[in-house]
Amino acid sequence: MHTERVTVPFVRSSKVRNGAEPLSMITAYDFPAARMVDRAGADMILVGDSLAMVVLGHADTLSVTISDMEHHTRAVAAARPLSLIVTDMPWMSYHTTKSEAVKSAARLIRAGAAAVKIEGGAKRAKVIRAICDAEIPVVGHLGLTPQSVNEFGGFKVQAKSVEEARRLIDDAMVVQDAGAFAIVLEAIPDILAKLVTAKLEIPTIGIGAGIDCDGQVLVFHDVLGLGEAKRPKFVKSYAELATLGVEALSMFVKEVRTSRFPAPENTYHDATGEIANLS
Ligand code: KIV
């Protein structure tokens, strides 16, 4: 459990091979979720653009804007967590010019993030460097990068061939050299994640990338079993809160219909005893 705010240097130096504990990162998109993740002691909160799918019900992450990410970052930051807040830069907030990318990243920092996350390898190197040069820490993201869903033809495991695996290793080195302080590896073979983790000086945070990463990240709603959709293989749900939630909501509906709610203890009574005499 953290007693002080988690910092970027702490995360940057958290390599398991150097004796660090594996890092934990959980998404949160609002104040109560951020409070819960922080109370659970997670090292990092990711305000992920997965909010498009998890919270807003879209089929992919492409619909969220920099204003949406700002809005949700503000809600998370209001919880004043000790966990480090990392916010995803949404699609098209860093794909045009370096100056546009730096301005977008600055909006997220002003909204309360301590760092931003950017998807992509070598082709994003200049943008990552420019954002780092503006004193904004960057987390990279390789493998199944959801903003490339149309290019990939769906949410599929990546880097399954030797050629793709080699490209991913090169990308990881470039992203590190560009200044990233950690890299998320999503949906790639575990042996490749192990190799990348061994090559890098900065920590890897896996999601569907096996046990050998320097940390793991999962989506809040998946951990708690809050989503109704089919969950990918790499998800482990530690509770089934959607089921519990529907049970609780059904009890409310039933108690309203049978006039059992509100009970006297849920009701304000007339302290003077005189209101009943009003006509
Ligand atoms: O947006 C997100 O939740 C993410 C994680 C899946 C790493 O990028």
Side-chain angles (χ1 to χ4, degrees):
M1 195 63 75
H2 293 284
T3 51
E4 286 176 10
R5 201 161 283 246
V6 176
T7 63
V8 168
F10 169 82
V11 172
R12 186 190 284 118
S13 65
S14 291
K15 284 298 278 184
V16 169
R17 68 162 178 260
N18 297 335
E21 263 187 2
L23 294 162
S24 53
M25 179 189 237
I26 306 174
T27 67
Y29 316 108
D30 59 23
F31 176 84
R35 288 284 281 239
M36 287 171 70
V37 172
D38 189 43
R39 285 173 61 196
D43 298 304
M44 284 172 280
I45 294 177
L46 174 64
V47 187
D49 59 357
S50 52
L51 75 88
M53 301 168 78
V54 179
V55 174
L56 305 176
H58 297 290
D60 56 43
T61 62
L62 303 178
S63 55
V64 290
T65 65
I66 191 74
S67 303
D68 296 327
M69 297 310 296
E70 244 181 330
H71 175 78
H72 286 272
T73 300
R74 266 195 210 102
V76 166
R80 297 184 209 289
L82 296 180
S83 319
L84 187 81
I85 302 176
V86 180
T87 296
D88 263 333
M89 293 195 64
W91 182 60
M92 274 298 136
S93 68
Y94 58 98
H95 299 72
T96 53
T97 63
K98 277 193 289 183
S99 124
E100 195 62 39
V102 172
K103 282 184 196 151
S104 299
R107 284 176 65 173
L108 300 178
I109 299 299
R110 289 202 166 116
V116 299
K117 178 163 77 60
I118 288 187
E119 295 183 7
K123 64 183 169 189
R124 302 291 166 228
K126 286 191 179 137
V127 157
I128 293 173
R129 169 63 58 209
I131 294 173
C132 290
D133 282 350
E135 318 303 339
I136 299 174
V138 174
V139 174
H141 185 159
L142 298 172
L144 172 50
T145 45
Q147 291 170 17
S148 315
V149 62
N150 291 324
E151 201 188 323
F152 293 157
F155 296 102
K156 298 174 179 169
V157 179
Q158 296 297 305
K160 291 199 285 188
S161 71
V162 173
E163 194 188 315
E164 287 165 349
R166 205 168 274 136
R167 201 175 319 130
L168 190 139
I169 294 170
D170 291 346
D171 277 340
M173 298 308 290
V174 170
V175 168
Q176 173 177 268
D177 293 347
F181 70 95
I183 300 183
V184 168
L185 298 176
E186 180 164 354
I188 60 170
D190 57 350
I191 189 70
L192 175 59
K194 184 177 181 176
L195 210 61
V196 172
T197 303
K199 281 185 180 288
L200 292 178
E201 297 303 319
I202 57 174
T204 57
I205 303 159
I207 174 163
I211 193 70
D212 293 303
C213 295
D214 295 300
Q216 299 291 330
V217 51
L218 279 180
V219 165
F220 180 86
H221 294 65
D222 289 340
V223 176
L224 295 181
L226 275 169
E228 290 187 39
K230 194 169 158 277
R231 293 164 207 156
K233 172 182 171 150
F234 58 72
V235 163
K236 180 169 176 185
S237 298
Y238 291 80
E240 287 301 333
L241 293 195
T243 310
L244 277 180
V246 172
E247 273 171 31
L249 297 169
S250 308
M251 279 162 64
F252 168 73
V253 170
K254 196 169 167 192
E255 289 201 357
V256 168
R257 287 190 180 143
T258 55
S259 301
R260 276 183 288 158
F261 179 85
E265 64 268 26
N266 311 118
T267 305
Y268 298 108
H269 300 287
D270 170 22
T272 66
E274 290 169 14
I275 297 178
N277 299 330
L278 290 176
S279 53

